[in-house]
Amino acid sequence: MTDRQIGSQVGRLYGVGLGPGDPELVTVRAAGLIGKADVVAYHSARHGRSIARSIAEPYLRGDQIEEQLVYPVTVETTDHPGGYRGALDEFYEEAAARLAAHLDAGRDVVVLAEGDPLFYGSYQHMHKRLADRYPTEVVPGVTSVSAAAARLGKALVEAEEVLTILPGTLPEEELTARLASTDSAVIMKLGRTFPTVRRALERAGRLDEAQYVERATMAGERTARLADVDPETVPYFSVAVLPSRIGLGPAPVAEDAVGEVVVVGLGPAGPLWLTPEARGELAAATDLVGYTTYIDRVPVRPGQVRHGSDNKVEAERAEFALDLARRGHRVAVVSSGDPGVFAMATAVLEAACGDPYRSVPVRIVPGMTAAHAAASRAGAPLGHDYAVVSLSDRLKPWEVVAQRLRAAAAADLVLALYNPGSQSRTTQVGLARDLLLEHRAPDTPVVMARDVGGPTERVRTVRLADLDPAEVDMRTILLIGSSQTQAVRRDDGTEVVWTPRRYPPV
């Protein structure tokens, strides 16, 4: 009986990472444990070959017990009553029971894992079932992610960049969204998923950046531009890599190149309100154009040129962006909220529909509107028909504003009022309130939402008769209820505002 068996009634479980494939990349700790273990376990498909065992073979003694854990299914279908997941769960339970028998007998068990044991590894299924019952140690290993970057000789991430690890088995739409919104990425589990991954990279505008690494550090290693790879030749042990963008600088622009303008909605405030599509367009742009306050909300990216301007030069800003695109630049024009709601999309399209910009590609990427953001904070005041009106009379006479307010009020529509007031426009809120009181009861709920999503957010509900113009500025949006809108205080003390979806018969 060994000293270990005298001091302990059970063996010790080790999840040992083997690295990406080259036996020389096995850590010293891992090699020592493999050589000393009583039992060495490894997973394999039904063909019986185990890459993990082949990596570990130089460190095996030759007289150890080997437990080959053969998967009942890999990607094929099964007639198991629990389906594919049921077949695997049953297999994991049986495999864990086999290892537990050795541990109960006082034998140390090493479970071999390609790469790192807790990174998409089969070992973790044993860990979940055994680690709370037996002394356990996990030995990390070099991942295929690190190996791929090393073989490419390209940095994965630098400074404040974000690295996203994705399984190629995700749905194409999900892959596309995540690839569009991240800085760098590695996509695992290619093989049969390669066509989907390639389409997702292309749809996200990232295909030209993508690199391909097959069997990194192993025999048969291959690297290439992903766009040049034949899908029929891609094995499971391959990854797609989007390396760091830092240091690449702006892409050279051909003299005859035509770029594009993408008008991007930033949402009302902050990164939590930004869609993945918008995030991706901002990252891919060579130039950002917009009101300086809005550009400042976009993270600085090396090689990207930022063109900030005053809020009152929308037409000039639009033409400037289109001129850049004519010279081959990929321009993102940033806009708060949704660019099509009292924002830059109209200015850009107005200029793009005239000479000399008719041939410049223009796209609009939507964003969360201020009205919808404010409504979500209050409850559901926009739950039925509603109208959106700007109280600004800079671009239309006040008489037109008043006429539209009367029409919406007479139709008993909920109203979302944008641009209610500023330092130079102090009368519009009072005028609108008095006009609406001709059609609405004094206790009609009014949601006053300021800086929604921002650091000074304040959302509260007042009666229409109590609406104070002095408390309203350009960062405020007003939601005026209809005759059906309810303001209800719930048992927890919160007040919610909602408009019923059902309207009473007229």
Side-chain angles (χ1 to χ4, degrees):
M1 181 176 291
T2 66
D3 291 340
R4 174 183 52 74
Q5 290 171 312
I6 293 172
S8 173
Q9 294 301 309
V10 297
R12 191 174 186 86
L13 174 68
Y14 296 92
V16 174
L18 300 174
D22 185 344
E24 293 188 359
L25 292 177
V26 173
T27 65
V28 173
R29 175 67 173 161
L33 289 173
I34 293 169
K36 291 190 297 183
D38 302 308
V39 180
V40 177
Y42 47 86
H43 293 79
S44 76
R46 284 185 292 183
H47 53 58
R49 298 183 299 276
S50 169
I51 293 177
R53 189 193 184 286
S54 68
I55 298 170
E57 187 168 10
Y59 309 105
L60 296 173
R61 292 198 315 267
D63 62 346
Q64 295 156 298
I65 300 171
E66 295 191 20
E67 285 285 359
Q68 186 177 16
L69 310 175
V70 180
Y71 279 105
V73 290
T74 49
V75 298
E76 66 272 22
T77 58
T78 176
D79 58 2
H80 189 282
Y84 182 83
R85 177 50 55 192
L88 286 183
D89 285 342
E90 183 177 288
F91 161 69
Y92 291 136
E93 291 294 336
E94 292 174 351
R98 287 168 60 185
L99 301 187
H102 290 295
L103 294 165
D104 288 337
R107 304 184 189 103
D108 285 347
V109 177
V110 162
V111 181
L112 304 177
E114 299 143 41
D116 182 89
L118 299 179
F119 184 74
Y120 291 121
S122 297
Y123 163 75
Q124 57 195 306
H125 299 288
M126 300 298 97
H127 189 87
K128 293 174 184 176
R129 290 165 171 81
L130 299 172
D132 63 338
R133 297 159 50 194
Y134 302 97
T136 301
E137 179 183 339
V138 177
V139 180
V142 178
T143 68
S144 58
V145 172
S146 298
R151 284 303 192 240
L152 290 170
K154 296 180 181 291
L156 283 174
V157 278
E158 187 177 337
E160 285 75 40
E161 286 185 308
V162 174
L163 172 65
T164 301
I165 309 294
L166 299 166
T169 49
L170 286 176
E172 184 176 328
E173 291 290 331
E174 184 69 20
L175 276 172
T176 301
R178 291 180 180 268
L179 290 169
S181 63
T182 192
D183 298 311
S184 304
V186 176
I187 311 172
M188 316 282 295
K189 305 180 181 182
L190 295 187
R192 62 191 175 86
T193 71
F194 184 82
T196 298
V197 171
R198 191 188 190 285
R199 286 194 303 272
L201 285 162
E202 188 168 21
R203 291 178 62 188
R206 309 295 297 272
L207 183 59
D208 289 343
E209 304 168 53
Q211 302 292 316
Y212 171 84
V213 183
E214 175 182 318
R215 297 188 172 93
T217 79
M218 302 168 68
E221 177 185 300
R222 176 170 61 135
T223 63
R225 289 180 66 250
L226 189 136
D228 299 333
V229 173
D230 180 358
E232 298 298 323
T233 67
V234 176
Y236 180 82
F237 286 96
S238 56
V239 297
V241 180
L242 290 175
S244 168
R245 286 168 161 167
I246 293 179
L248 297 179
V253 178
E255 290 185 4
D256 59 347
V258 176
E260 67 170 342
V261 171
V262 184
V263 191
V264 179
L266 301 179
L272 290 177
W273 303 85
L274 194 64
T275 68
E277 182 183 17
R279 194 184 300 274
E281 294 295 347
L282 294 172
T286 60
D287 298 76
L288 296 184
V289 173
Y291 177 34
T292 300
T293 298
Y294 299 152
I295 284 186
D296 288 345
R297 284 167 47 185
V298 181
V300 174
R301 290 182 172 83
Q304 191 177 70
V305 183
R306 303 158 78 91
H307 309 272
S309 57
D310 185 79
N311 197 32
K312 300 175 183 178
V313 291
E314 291 186 350
E316 294 88 340
R317 188 185 302 142
E319 292 184 3
F320 178 76
L322 291 162
D323 277 325
L324 286 174
R326 288 178 69 204
R327 301 202 300 270
H329 295 249
R330 184 170 178 172
V331 185
V333 176
V334 298
S335 198
S336 181
D338 183 277
V341 180
F342 304 123
M344 279 301 299
T346 299
V348 171
L349 290 173
E350 186 175 358
C353 289
D355 294 328
Y357 306 118
R358 291 177 184 270
S359 62
V360 177
V362 175
R363 291 187 292 118
I364 313 299
V365 174
M368 168 73 75
T369 70
H372 293 156
S376 71
R377 292 294 202 245
L382 305 182
H384 207 295
D385 301 336
Y386 67 95
V388 178
V389 177
S390 170
L391 292 190
S392 174
D393 55 359
R394 293 193 183 280
L395 301 177
K396 62 179 181 291
W398 174 255
E399 291 75 16
V400 173
V401 178
Q403 181 183 26
R404 291 174 178 177
L405 290 174
R406 290 190 183 93
D412 200 21
L413 296 172
V414 174
L415 276 162
L417 301 183
Y418 278 68
N419 307 317
S422 66
Q423 290 183 347
S424 60
R425 293 189 301 105
T426 59
T427 62
Q428 283 81 359
V429 173
L431 291 172
R433 176 201 58 204
D434 295 344
L435 185 154
L436 292 172
L437 282 169
E438 297 174 9
H439 300 269
R440 303 280 164 89
D443 60 352
T444 298
V446 176
V447 176
M448 300 176 61
R450 187 183 188 279
D451 191 28
V452 175
T456 62
E457 176 181 311
R458 187 186 186 202
V459 180
R460 61 196 183 98
T461 304
V462 301
R463 299 167 67 247
L464 178 58
D466 298 333
L467 178 59
D468 184 356
E471 297 180 350
V472 178
D473 61 12
M474 276 295 288
R475 301 184 69 182
T476 303
I477 187 168
L478 300 175
L479 306 180
I480 315 292
S482 71
S483 65
Q484 304 302 305
T485 303
Q486 306 291 313
V488 178
R489 189 162 299 278
R490 305 184 72 241
D491 289 346
D492 61 3
T494 60
E495 185 176 49
V496 294
V497 180
W498 53 281
T499 302
R501 295 177 62 193
R502 187 184 304 278
Y503 200 84
V506 177

